Each structure stands twice: as structure tokens, then as C-alpha cells.
Amino acid sequence: MSTFGGDEVSAIVLDVGSCWTRAGYAGEDSPKTVFPTYYGYIPENRVINKSKLGASDLGGGEGSQQVEKKTEKYVMGDSEISVWREYMEIRNPLKDGLIQDWDALEHIWDYALSKRLSVNPVEHPLLVTEAAWSTREIRETLTELAFEKYNCLAFYTVKNPVLTAFASGRPTAIVLDSGAATTSVVPVFDGYVLKKGMQRSPIAGDFLSDQILRQFEQQKITLNPQYLVANKSFTEPDTPAVFTKRDRSNTTDSFHRFQAMKVIHEYKETVCQVFESTYNEAIIASRPMKSFEFPDGFNTSFGPERYKVPEILFRPPEFTIQPQETGVDVGSYVGIPGMIYNCLATCDVDMRANFLANLVCTGGSTLFPNFIDRVYQELNPSFPGHRVKIHAPVNSVERKCSAWLGGSILASLGTFHQLWISRKEYDDHGKVIVEKKCE
Amino acid sequence: MSNDVRDILGLSGLSAEGSVKKPMRIEKEKKPDGISRELFQLIGGPPPVAFIKPAFKAKPNLRKKAVAWNYRAFKNPARGDDLELRHWVKASEDENQAYRFNEFNKVINILDYTEQEYNNLLNSDPDWTKAETDYLFELCRNYDLRFLVISDRYEWPDKRRTMEDLKERYYFVMREVNTSRAGSGVGSKDNIASMYNFDKAREIERKNNLQYLFTRNPDQIKEEEVLLQEYERIEQNEKKFSKERENLLKMLNFQDINPSKSLLNGGPSTPTADTSGAFFANSAESPPNKKMRRSSSSSVGTSSIEVHSPTDAYPPNTPRREKLPPGVVVRSQKIPPVKQSAINKVTKYLAECHLNTRPNMATETVCAKWAELQKGIVNMLELKRHVEKLENDLDAKKKLLVKAKTTSTTQIKTETLT
């Protein structure tokens, strides 16, 4: 056991990401539970008369709802939030990777710790991940929450890129993380984030999904998510769908959008692809089309479109559809290779070669086929005479949960246990201790 | 059956059988001492077939009592507080054992200067206040002197400090404080000063150079690579040459020491371009020697070069007793030299005949002929000189005779007159 320096103290690792939340025990190779960070919210005035309907929809009610004293209702969990309920809003407590809605976050912690892991936090040290650009207030509130509400045995918070670097076995690396809400390029040196070199842009998974939605609109494809489809029948490709629609009045916009995004996620995962070298319309046009069937039975094939949207990651201004309406100033963002270049330019010149040989890619949006090849293709000519090496786990679970994995490794190391913030330290110094101890 | 046949043929069957069996037995018994049987069997003959025992998974020993593990609380001495975490340990482990990961807790000791020291030693730079220096040292302690991180986190109002600024300040403080604390020893002071030496300008220059190196374009890199290759090639050639030269010298020396052997051998030894100055001088003089040089470098025993050996057949009229350097020589050297006094005349004569001082193609016959020629020329020259001398003598005698005649006639005349 001493060979790998591990010492299990049954720590809990909690990684609340923009799209998914992962939780599990430190020392394990994958999180025990992964569920969406999105949650359903039914406001106070709507709960009482509609709860029956909601329960019947659930098929006997799995006790997934949490009835607060205020009687507003939070719905957590992958299957639970996918069930249609009247007036249920789908919300996300995070914005740009930062926690905005603390009540919801508490519900997420509750759900993860007591419902999914069934642990008593008093008995366990708790390691929480955070965005590299997390603010002092957020970290302090997290510390407060851990000690005041959950009364954790010990607490620590680490930045995502550091954990990703650890998960790939390197203390020094440049971490490219393209997740749902943000694409970031962060230099990590000896387990410390170099704040000045950090690059981030909102052009990530959610932005692409939004673009795909616009692309469907342009192609005159109406998206009927699964919850609207009662039954469907087979149709020939490119012929209108034949299906019976469910009556779902009083559906909130956010729920509909969430459901539409589910379809788009599937589309992204099965159809979309990154072109392996510089975008070339002629070659792409000659490639075979890929067909996709929508939940309502409509099916069609996609040609160049399936390359166009992921291309936004590399050249945002050129490929964004209706850039004015996205709410993002697309022109001011450079693509991923540019971000890496800018990041390196801010780093000390001594370290650049080292950083270039240790590029780590992670996040769901890096899972497009050919993504890694493309990044390499774009970077290699920019740095002649240097060895560019990109490390990306082949295993998609490792790519999606790299921060959690790093946390799992870190919290099970014997040498790490001196770093935990203990109850006593919190009592002595207050929440400001987090700034001092977790850097 | 073979015994019967042997009987019929009248051969001694028994003895033959014995002779067959005996050696086998002897072979087996022959194992010398000091060699293990296994090793002995391996010597000669095909190796024995190695049998791999089929290995099955070891059966769990169910009778043995399971090792007990305890869920124990432990304290980490590296921590300032008394946080108790719990982990599973074997019950056999000592409960009071120190936490084994404690030894990895390395702390860098960064010095602490006093107020007085600061005022006396470190106040010289108006750009730095004590508060800021304190802040820098706190960061140094927090980040264990990782200046990359320190300069990243460094935030002081109205100041923008580069990593070099920070390093300079840090090393300045370390140098000043440590030298003042070191006391009187002169050597130790210098030592400390050199230990904490930091040349900011040089560091900046180094980084600028690195920056330049980083921003090279592919053409520049290619050019550099080509140059580097060329350099390597030249260096390698140089090495090869010097090695060859060394080998040659070694060989020549060896033959110097042991000439008789090489003479006796008379065998080939590698002739190389640098064997003798005479050869080079010769070849340089005459253009057709190109061919000769090639042949000399490619093979031994060619016409122009050979190893001096007494067994070689020489043309009978070549004198053999002249002094020659041992080892490889140019054959034309073996041509007997002309007398010192006659050299000039011979060369002159050869030049008159449009010939060089040495033969162009120094084959054995040519050499022999050349020697003959030389000898002939010398003879001829000598004879010429002799002839000249005799002619002169004759002339002188004639003159004397004439004189004598005239005097005698005048005498006669005068006698007659008188």
C-alpha cells in the first residue's frame, strides 16, 4: 500500500460541474454517482394542487422530490427531471462555472450525499472542486456550507485544472477543458494554477447546442422532444413526421428547452464531427452523410452541417450562426488553438517547452471525433522546433470526470492529509482560512 | 545376433561390445569437480527439455485466521491542529507508530530578518518598503520558492513586479542578511555571496534569448539544423582523420621497435598516404603519379611501394647495403643515391635530357634501369672530367713543347749568330 503512497481516510469527492455533478469516494476509479446539475423547480404557489399529477407521472413517486417547508419543490436526478411536470422550471445553479444559486447547491449536496451516497458527512472529509476562476466569496461560502450545515470532518477545495492535471499524472501541464458552459485553457505549475495565464471563453458545449438549434431552425426542422411524442410511426427519410402529440399544457419554456437540448446532445454525440485538418468545404462535401432520427420519427441526413458547428470551437467568428443573437460577443473570442497560444505567451519563457509537451485535454466537448488530432494539427506548425504533446484519455468516462478522478487520487494520498481544513482551524480562523490553505 | 555374426567372422565380439559401452560410461563419469551436475549436463548435446509445471491458483488457506484490520483514528504530526482522521490498518501494526507519510513533509527554511537587520542592511533600495519585502517573503514561504507561482500571485498596490525583480530582491536580502550573520570568516562570506548571487541583467538577457529561440520560424530552424549537421559531419571527419593518423603512427613506431620481425615477415602492412615525405614529394612533382597514389592506397605490393625485405628479388646490379628507414618505403628511394659531390651535375644532366631526379614509374625494372642510368651518367661524367683533365694536360704539355722548341731554336739561332 505504501508503494503508491495512498492512505484511505474515506474522503468524499464532490464535483459540481456546469452540466453534470459527480460524487463518490476518494480512491475509487470512477464516481459512484453522476447526475445532472440541472434541477427541476416548482414554485410555491404551484406545488400543492399539482403534486398528485407529478407523483402519478413518476409511477408511484420515487420520493425524488424534496418538499421544503416553504413548500416549493426541488426535483433532482437524471430520470426525475426528465419527467414532465406542470410549471416545473429546469434551472442550473451555475453560471460560467460559478455558483449563483446557493439554495439549489445545497439541494445538490443534499441529494448527492444523503440520497445517492447515503453518507453522513460528519464522518467524512469532503473534497470539493471549483472552477479555476472561482472567486473568494464562493470559496468562503462553500467552506461555510461544509462546516456549518454539513459539519464535515474536514474540508478542502481544489481547482478543476489542477485535479485534471493530477488525474493525468502531471503536476505541471496546460489543461484545456471544454465542457458545457466554458472552454478554458489553464496553466498549472506544480499543482498551482497560474492565474495570469488563464484563458476562457463561453464557446463550449451549450453554445454549440444553441447553434445546432439555430441550424435546425434554418433547415426548417421542428424539434419535438420525447416528452411531446405519444407514439410515432416509421416514415421515409426527409418526409414529415407522423406522430401523435401529447397534450402538455403549462409546460415551462425551460423544461422544453432542456428536453430539446437532450435531443441535441444526442445529435452532437452521434452525428457531429471535427474536421481533422484546416476546414475544407470541398472535401467535406464529398464525405458520406450521416442520418439522424428525431424523437418524432422524422429522419434526415446531415452533410457539411455536422462539421460546421464543431468548427465554431476553432474559429468562432467565421462559423457562428446569427452571431448577433447569441448574446455572446463572438468576434472577441479566438478558437482553441489561439487560446492555447495566448496562454503560452503569458507564461514564463522558461516553462513553455515543458507546457507544450504537457497539454491535457478534458471535458465533454473534446469528445468530438478528430478533436485531438485537429488541435495537434493546428498547434504543431505554430511551434516549430518544439515537441507538442497532447494527452487525452481515450476512455470517455475519464475525459468527462477527470476533475473528479484527480480529486479521488489527491484525497486518497497519505501526504495530502496534512492539508485538510479541520473543524478546529475553521473555528479558529473562520471562513477566510480557505484562501490561505487552498491555493 | 551381432555376437553370432562376430563369432562366425572370427571377431572378438565381447571386446567390441565393451569398447562401445565403456566410453559412454566414462563420459558420464567424467564430470570434473567444481561444476554442478546441472551445469555439466548443459555442456554439449541438446539442452534438456524444460518442463513447466502447470501452476494453478493457490488455494486460499481457509484454516488460517484472517488478518485483523482495525479502523483506527490517527493524527498527522505535520498538522498544527489535532485533526483525527480514520483509516484501516492491520491490527498487528503498532498503534503508537509515527504517521508514515510525515517524512514526506519537507519544509524549506526561509530566513527571517529582524527589524534592526532590515534597517541596517536592507533599506538601501528606495523602491522596496519593508511591508512589501515582508509580503514577498511570506509568498516565498507559502509557495516554497516557486517563483513562477510567486510572481503569478504577487499583488502589491501600485507596483508591477516581474519575476526578475522579485528574484533580485529575494537574493539581495538573503545575501545581505546571511553575510552579516556569517561573522568574520572571509571565505565563508564570499561563499554566501556567491550562493545568493543573482544577476538580473543577465537573467533578462537569457530570457530574451530564449524568447527569440521560441519565436524562430521554420526556415530558421531548418537552417540551424543543416548547420548543425554540417558541423557534426566535420567533427566526425576530423575524428576519423586523427584516429587514422594515430593508427599509422602507432604502426610505424611498432615497426621501428621491431624491425627485424617486419623484415622477416615481408608481409603486407597497410600503406597510407602519409608514409614517407619522399613519396609525397615525388608524387607532388609529377602529374602521372595520381594513378600511383591510388594504387598505393588501395593495395599492397603494388609497383611503387613495397615493404623492405631481404628475401625480395632485386635486380642484381642494385647495391643492397644502403641505409633505408624501416617499414614501408617508396621503392624509388632504394635507388642508390648519387655521390654527394656529383648530385648537382647528375641532376643537371638529367634535366638536360628532360628527366626528373627520380623515375616517374618506379617499377622494379625501371628502378634498376634508373640505377644503371645514374651509374652510367656518373661514370660518363667522371670519364668526361678525366678526358677534360687529360686534354688540359696535353694542351699544357704541347704549349711547353712549343715553348721549348722556340727557345731551343732561338738558342740555336743565337748560337749560330754568335
Side-chain angles (χ1 to χ4, degrees), chain B residues 76-96:
Chain B
N76 192 337
R79 297 187 61 93
D81 56 2
D82 49 0
L83 173 71
E84 279 201 351
L85 295 169
R86 302 175 75 82
H87 62 178
W88 286 98
V89 280
K90 271 186 181 168
S92 56
E93 266 177 47
D94 184 14
E95 210 158 324
N96 300 320

PDB file of all heavy atoms in Angstrom, chain B residues 76-96:
ATOM      1  N   ASN B  76      -1.924  13.398  12.336  1.00  0.00           N
ATOM      2  CA  ASN B  76      -0.816  13.719  11.443  1.00  0.00           C
ATOM      3  C   ASN B  76       0.049  14.782  12.108  1.00  0.00           C
ATOM      4  O   ASN B  76      -0.401  15.904  12.313  1.00  0.00           O
ATOM      5  CB  ASN B  76      -1.392  14.243  10.128  1.00  0.00           C
ATOM      6  CG  ASN B  76      -0.356  14.320   9.053  1.00  0.00           C
ATOM      7  OD1 ASN B  76       0.835  14.392   9.355  1.00  0.00           O
ATOM      8  ND2 ASN B  76      -0.784  14.311   7.814  1.00  0.00           N
ATOM      9  N   PRO B  77       1.296  14.434  12.466  1.00  0.00           N
ATOM     10  CA  PRO B  77       2.131  15.412  13.171  1.00  0.00           C
ATOM     11  C   PRO B  77       2.471  16.631  12.321  1.00  0.00           C
ATOM     12  O   PRO B  77       2.904  17.653  12.850  1.00  0.00           O
ATOM     13  CB  PRO B  77       3.405  14.635  13.507  1.00  0.00           C
ATOM     14  CG  PRO B  77       3.258  13.294  12.931  1.00  0.00           C
ATOM     15  CD  PRO B  77       1.957  13.154  12.265  1.00  0.00           C
ATOM     16  N   ALA B  78       2.260  16.513  10.997  1.00  0.00           N
ATOM     17  CA  ALA B  78       2.548  17.662  10.144  1.00  0.00           C
ATOM     18  C   ALA B  78       1.498  18.755  10.317  1.00  0.00           C
ATOM     19  O   ALA B  78       1.686  19.882   9.880  1.00  0.00           O
ATOM     20  CB  ALA B  78       2.603  17.219   8.693  1.00  0.00           C
ATOM     21  N   ARG B  79       0.399  18.406  10.949  1.00  0.00           N
ATOM     22  CA  ARG B  79      -0.675  19.383  11.114  1.00  0.00           C
ATOM     23  C   ARG B  79      -0.507  20.145  12.414  1.00  0.00           C
ATOM     24  O   ARG B  79      -0.029  19.619  13.404  1.00  0.00           O
ATOM     25  CB  ARG B  79      -2.031  18.687  11.138  1.00  0.00           C
ATOM     26  CG  ARG B  79      -2.390  17.961   9.879  1.00  0.00           C
ATOM     27  CD  ARG B  79      -3.811  17.483   9.977  1.00  0.00           C
ATOM     28  NE  ARG B  79      -4.710  18.610  10.122  1.00  0.00           N
ATOM     29  CZ  ARG B  79      -5.308  19.200   9.105  1.00  0.00           C
ATOM     30  NH1 ARG B  79      -5.128  18.763   7.885  1.00  0.00           N
ATOM     31  NH2 ARG B  79      -6.104  20.236   9.298  1.00  0.00           N
ATOM     32  N   GLY B  80      -0.934  21.377  12.368  1.00  0.00           N
ATOM     33  CA  GLY B  80      -0.844  22.195  13.573  1.00  0.00           C
ATOM     34  C   GLY B  80      -1.949  21.864  14.562  1.00  0.00           C
ATOM     35  O   GLY B  80      -1.789  22.022  15.774  1.00  0.00           O
ATOM     36  N   ASP B  81      -3.077  21.394  14.035  1.00  0.00           N
ATOM     37  CA  ASP B  81      -4.204  21.112  14.940  1.00  0.00           C
ATOM     38  C   ASP B  81      -4.232  19.623  15.256  1.00  0.00           C
ATOM     39  O   ASP B  81      -3.340  18.881  14.862  1.00  0.00           O
ATOM     40  CB  ASP B  81      -5.513  21.543  14.277  1.00  0.00           C
ATOM     41  CG  ASP B  81      -5.686  20.871  12.931  1.00  0.00           C
ATOM     42  OD1 ASP B  81      -4.802  20.068  12.574  1.00  0.00           O
ATOM     43  OD2 ASP B  81      -6.675  21.143  12.245  1.00  0.00           O
ATOM     44  N   ASP B  82      -5.227  19.188  15.962  1.00  0.00           N
ATOM     45  CA  ASP B  82      -5.269  17.765  16.305  1.00  0.00           C
ATOM     46  C   ASP B  82      -6.397  17.065  15.562  1.00  0.00           C
ATOM     47  O   ASP B  82      -7.183  16.329  16.137  1.00  0.00           O
ATOM     48  CB  ASP B  82      -5.408  17.588  17.824  1.00  0.00           C
ATOM     49  CG  ASP B  82      -6.521  18.451  18.366  1.00  0.00           C
ATOM     50  OD1 ASP B  82      -7.165  19.155  17.566  1.00  0.00           O
ATOM     51  OD2 ASP B  82      -6.775  18.417  19.583  1.00  0.00           O
ATOM     52  N   LEU B  83      -6.452  17.310  14.272  1.00  0.00           N
ATOM     53  CA  LEU B  83      -7.471  16.647  13.453  1.00  0.00           C
ATOM     54  C   LEU B  83      -7.236  15.140  13.468  1.00  0.00           C
ATOM     55  O   LEU B  83      -6.126  14.670  13.244  1.00  0.00           O
ATOM     56  CB  LEU B  83      -7.392  17.164  12.014  1.00  0.00           C
ATOM     57  CG  LEU B  83      -8.292  16.421  11.010  1.00  0.00           C
ATOM     58  CD1 LEU B  83      -9.753  16.756  11.248  1.00  0.00           C
ATOM     59  CD2 LEU B  83      -7.905  16.740   9.585  1.00  0.00           C
ATOM     60  N   GLU B  84      -8.282  14.426  13.753  1.00  0.00           N
ATOM     61  CA  GLU B  84      -8.176  12.968  13.757  1.00  0.00           C
ATOM     62  C   GLU B  84      -8.930  12.410  12.573  1.00  0.00           C
ATOM     63  O   GLU B  84     -10.145  12.522  12.497  1.00  0.00           O
ATOM     64  CB  GLU B  84      -8.725  12.403  15.066  1.00  0.00           C
ATOM     65  CG  GLU B  84      -7.729  12.488  16.189  1.00  0.00           C
ATOM     66  CD  GLU B  84      -8.049  11.506  17.309  1.00  0.00           C
ATOM     67  OE1 GLU B  84      -9.135  10.903  17.251  1.00  0.00           O
ATOM     68  OE2 GLU B  84      -7.208  11.369  18.202  1.00  0.00           O
ATOM     69  N   LEU B  85      -8.198  11.844  11.663  1.00  0.00           N
ATOM     70  CA  LEU B  85      -8.835  11.141  10.552  1.00  0.00           C
ATOM     71  C   LEU B  85      -8.764   9.660  10.877  1.00  0.00           C
ATOM     72  O   LEU B  85      -7.961   9.233  11.700  1.00  0.00           O
ATOM     73  CB  LEU B  85      -8.102  11.459   9.245  1.00  0.00           C
ATOM     74  CG  LEU B  85      -8.169  12.919   8.804  1.00  0.00           C
ATOM     75  CD1 LEU B  85      -7.207  13.179   7.668  1.00  0.00           C
ATOM     76  CD2 LEU B  85      -9.583  13.285   8.366  1.00  0.00           C
ATOM     77  N   ARG B  86      -9.565   8.888  10.197  1.00  0.00           N
ATOM     78  CA  ARG B  86      -9.582   7.450  10.488  1.00  0.00           C
ATOM     79  C   ARG B  86      -9.215   6.661   9.245  1.00  0.00           C
ATOM     80  O   ARG B  86      -9.619   7.019   8.146  1.00  0.00           O
ATOM     81  CB  ARG B  86     -10.973   7.039  10.990  1.00  0.00           C
ATOM     82  CG  ARG B  86     -11.412   7.802  12.220  1.00  0.00           C
ATOM     83  CD  ARG B  86     -12.824   7.445  12.599  1.00  0.00           C
ATOM     84  NE  ARG B  86     -12.894   6.142  13.228  1.00  0.00           N
ATOM     85  CZ  ARG B  86     -12.625   5.921  14.513  1.00  0.00           C
ATOM     86  NH1 ARG B  86     -12.268   6.916  15.292  1.00  0.00           N
ATOM     87  NH2 ARG B  86     -12.719   4.707  15.029  1.00  0.00           N
ATOM     88  N   HIS B  87      -8.452   5.646   9.441  1.00  0.00           N
ATOM     89  CA  HIS B  87      -8.143   4.761   8.319  1.00  0.00           C
ATOM     90  C   HIS B  87      -8.005   3.319   8.813  1.00  0.00           C
ATOM     91  O   HIS B  87      -7.915   3.069  10.015  1.00  0.00           O
ATOM     92  CB  HIS B  87      -6.879   5.225   7.579  1.00  0.00           C
ATOM     93  CG  HIS B  87      -5.636   5.221   8.412  1.00  0.00           C
ATOM     94  ND1 HIS B  87      -4.426   5.562   7.906  1.00  0.00           N
ATOM     95  CD2 HIS B  87      -5.419   4.925   9.716  1.00  0.00           C
ATOM     96  CE1 HIS B  87      -3.520   5.479   8.851  1.00  0.00           C
ATOM     97  NE2 HIS B  87      -4.093   5.101   9.958  1.00  0.00           N
ATOM     98  N   TRP B  88      -7.993   2.392   7.874  1.00  0.00           N
ATOM     99  CA  TRP B  88      -7.881   0.988   8.206  1.00  0.00           C
ATOM    100  C   TRP B  88      -6.409   0.612   8.291  1.00  0.00           C
ATOM    101  O   TRP B  88      -5.643   0.899   7.376  1.00  0.00           O
ATOM    102  CB  TRP B  88      -8.559   0.135   7.144  1.00  0.00           C
ATOM    103  CG  TRP B  88     -10.050   0.189   7.220  1.00  0.00           C
ATOM    104  CD1 TRP B  88     -10.869   0.956   6.474  1.00  0.00           C
ATOM    105  CD2 TRP B  88     -10.884  -0.565   8.097  1.00  0.00           C
ATOM    106  NE1 TRP B  88     -12.171   0.760   6.817  1.00  0.00           N
ATOM    107  CE2 TRP B  88     -12.212  -0.188   7.818  1.00  0.00           C
ATOM    108  CE3 TRP B  88     -10.658  -1.509   9.104  1.00  0.00           C
ATOM    109  CZ2 TRP B  88     -13.300  -0.715   8.496  1.00  0.00           C
ATOM    110  CZ3 TRP B  88     -11.738  -2.047   9.776  1.00  0.00           C
ATOM    111  CH2 TRP B  88     -13.039  -1.656   9.478  1.00  0.00           C
ATOM    112  N   VAL B  89      -6.014  -0.009   9.379  1.00  0.00           N
ATOM    113  CA  VAL B  89      -4.642  -0.511   9.495  1.00  0.00           C
ATOM    114  C   VAL B  89      -4.691  -1.949  10.006  1.00  0.00           C
ATOM    115  O   VAL B  89      -5.656  -2.356  10.662  1.00  0.00           O
ATOM    116  CB  VAL B  89      -3.774   0.321  10.458  1.00  0.00           C
ATOM    117  CG1 VAL B  89      -3.282   1.572   9.801  1.00  0.00           C
ATOM    118  CG2 VAL B  89      -4.506   0.616  11.744  1.00  0.00           C
ATOM    119  N   LYS B  90      -3.633  -2.676   9.687  1.00  0.00           N
ATOM    120  CA  LYS B  90      -3.542  -4.040  10.202  1.00  0.00           C
ATOM    121  C   LYS B  90      -3.442  -3.980  11.719  1.00  0.00           C
ATOM    122  O   LYS B  90      -2.730  -3.134  12.272  1.00  0.00           O
ATOM    123  CB  LYS B  90      -2.290  -4.713   9.640  1.00  0.00           C
ATOM    124  CG  LYS B  90      -2.546  -5.398   8.339  1.00  0.00           C
ATOM    125  CD  LYS B  90      -1.332  -6.159   7.895  1.00  0.00           C
ATOM    126  CE  LYS B  90      -1.620  -6.835   6.559  1.00  0.00           C
ATOM    127  NZ  LYS B  90      -0.430  -7.362   5.936  1.00  0.00           N
ATOM    128  N   ALA B  91      -4.120  -4.883  12.356  1.00  0.00           N
ATOM    129  CA  ALA B  91      -4.134  -4.866  13.818  1.00  0.00           C
ATOM    130  C   ALA B  91      -2.740  -5.088  14.377  1.00  0.00           C
ATOM    131  O   ALA B  91      -2.414  -4.663  15.477  1.00  0.00           O
ATOM    132  CB  ALA B  91      -5.088  -5.937  14.332  1.00  0.00           C
ATOM    133  N   SER B  92      -1.901  -5.762  13.559  1.00  0.00           N
ATOM    134  CA  SER B  92      -0.564  -6.061  14.049  1.00  0.00           C
ATOM    135  C   SER B  92       0.321  -4.812  14.123  1.00  0.00           C
ATOM    136  O   SER B  92       1.335  -4.800  14.794  1.00  0.00           O
ATOM    137  CB  SER B  92       0.091  -7.086  13.126  1.00  0.00           C
ATOM    138  OG  SER B  92       0.084  -6.595  11.805  1.00  0.00           O
ATOM    139  N   GLU B  93      -0.099  -3.759  13.408  1.00  0.00           N
ATOM    140  CA  GLU B  93       0.748  -2.566  13.402  1.00  0.00           C
ATOM    141  C   GLU B  93       0.674  -1.846  14.736  1.00  0.00           C
ATOM    142  O   GLU B  93      -0.362  -1.800  15.385  1.00  0.00           O
ATOM    143  CB  GLU B  93       0.317  -1.626  12.271  1.00  0.00           C
ATOM    144  CG  GLU B  93       1.119  -1.845  11.011  1.00  0.00           C
ATOM    145  CD  GLU B  93       0.651  -0.974   9.876  1.00  0.00           C
ATOM    146  OE1 GLU B  93       0.460   0.220  10.092  1.00  0.00           O
ATOM    147  OE2 GLU B  93       0.458  -1.521   8.768  1.00  0.00           O
ATOM    148  N   ASP B  94       1.806  -1.262  15.060  1.00  0.00           N
ATOM    149  CA  ASP B  94       1.914  -0.581  16.346  1.00  0.00           C
ATOM    150  C   ASP B  94       1.016   0.652  16.345  1.00  0.00           C
ATOM    151  O   ASP B  94       1.023   1.452  15.417  1.00  0.00           O
ATOM    152  CB  ASP B  94       3.377  -0.174  16.570  1.00  0.00           C
ATOM    153  CG  ASP B  94       3.553   0.454  17.927  1.00  0.00           C
ATOM    154  OD1 ASP B  94       2.620   0.325  18.746  1.00  0.00           O
ATOM    155  OD2 ASP B  94       4.602   1.074  18.140  1.00  0.00           O
ATOM    156  N   GLU B  95       0.286   0.792  17.400  1.00  0.00           N
ATOM    157  CA  GLU B  95      -0.671   1.884  17.463  1.00  0.00           C
ATOM    158  C   GLU B  95       0.016   3.237  17.624  1.00  0.00           C
ATOM    159  O   GLU B  95      -0.470   4.257  17.162  1.00  0.00           O
ATOM    160  CB  GLU B  95      -1.623   1.637  18.636  1.00  0.00           C
ATOM    161  CG  GLU B  95      -2.981   2.218  18.398  1.00  0.00           C
ATOM    162  CD  GLU B  95      -4.023   1.535  19.262  1.00  0.00           C
ATOM    163  OE1 GLU B  95      -3.922   0.303  19.488  1.00  0.00           O
ATOM    164  OE2 GLU B  95      -4.918   2.236  19.701  1.00  0.00           O
ATOM    165  N   ASN B  96       1.164   3.205  18.284  1.00  0.00           N
ATOM    166  CA  ASN B  96       1.827   4.479  18.577  1.00  0.00           C
ATOM    167  C   ASN B  96       2.868   4.869  17.542  1.00  0.00           C
ATOM    168  O   ASN B  96       3.617   5.811  17.731  1.00  0.00           O
ATOM    169  CB  ASN B  96       2.493   4.401  19.953  1.00  0.00           C
ATOM    170  CG  ASN B  96       1.464   4.134  21.020  1.00  0.00           C
ATOM    171  OD1 ASN B  96       0.364   4.690  20.972  1.00  0.00           O
ATOM    172  ND2 ASN B  96       1.792   3.251  21.955  1.00  0.00           N
TER     173      ASN B  96
END
